[in-house]
């Protein structure tokens, strides 16, 4: 009896690539489509490419940049609240401050979209950070991916306290890296 050679995880690898691709497509397209509906569509339209901002001449003072983090999209409220509380707790160590209320003035508005996919090695959490100027014009877009524990059923059910802390730390690091970017 002769067996033909077949890579053991070929089908699984293809499934993971498709799942990640679908999650990235949903994270990139759906929120943009939702934001172009209504009277304020021109201010939040993602169809045109935004020119990147020039770098800050120097790192801003600890209280020089204030970010208004808008309510998260695509994530259960309890998990989103836990991530936001952790981001706020760690913000004192960053080169920016977080606005306390939606009505507070801010240098930039930050909208974060999440998507989660269960894979064989755990839960993959994909996120997209959109940063807007005070007038609502897109400034930049950042992406990230984190691996959490394996979940059964709903991918968010496997997100534990350690994953929340790690994810909040990564989001804060990316925001700090953008705020303190240099011309190098």
């Amino acid at each position: 009896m002769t067996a033909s050679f077949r890579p053991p995880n070929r089908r699984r690898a293809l499934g993971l690539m498709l799942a990640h691709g679908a999650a990235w497509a949903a994270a990139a397209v759906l929120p943009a489509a939702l934001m172009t509906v209504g009277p304020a569509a021109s201010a939040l339209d993602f169809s045109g490419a935004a020119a990147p901002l020039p770098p800050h001449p120097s790192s801003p003072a600890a209280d020089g940049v204030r970010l208004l983090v808008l309510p998260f999209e695509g994530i259960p409220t309890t998990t989103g609240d836990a991530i936001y509380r952790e981001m706020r707790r760690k913000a004192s160590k960053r080169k920016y401050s977080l606005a306390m209320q939606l009505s507070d003035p801010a240098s930039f508005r930050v909208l974060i979209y999440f998507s989660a996919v269960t894979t064989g090695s755990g839960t993959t959490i994909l996120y997209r950070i959109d940063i807007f100027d005070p007038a609502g014009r897109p400034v930049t877009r950042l992406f990230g991916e984190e691996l959490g524990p394996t979940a059964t059923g709903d991918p968010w059910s496997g997100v534990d306290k350690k994953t929340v802390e790690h994810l909040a730390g990564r989001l804060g690091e990316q925001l700090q890296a953008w705020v303190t970017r240099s011309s190098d």
Side-chain angles (χ1 to χ4, degrees), residues 7-41:
N9 290 326
R10 183 177 176 186
R11 188 175 272 180
R12 182 171 160 246
L14 179 61
L16 288 174
M17 287 177 9
L18 292 174
H20 282 280
W24 276 116
V29 175
L30 182 60
L34 293 175
M35 295 185 79
T36 59
V37 176

Side-chain angles (χ1 to χ4, degrees), residues 110-133:
V110 178
L111 186 54
I112 305 173
Y113 304 93
F114 291 91
S115 181
V117 179
T118 301
T119 63
S121 58
T123 300
T124 302
I125 301 167
L126 308 168
Y127 59 88
R128 182 181 91 196
I129 304 170
D130 286 339
I131 301 175
F132 303 92
D133 68 10

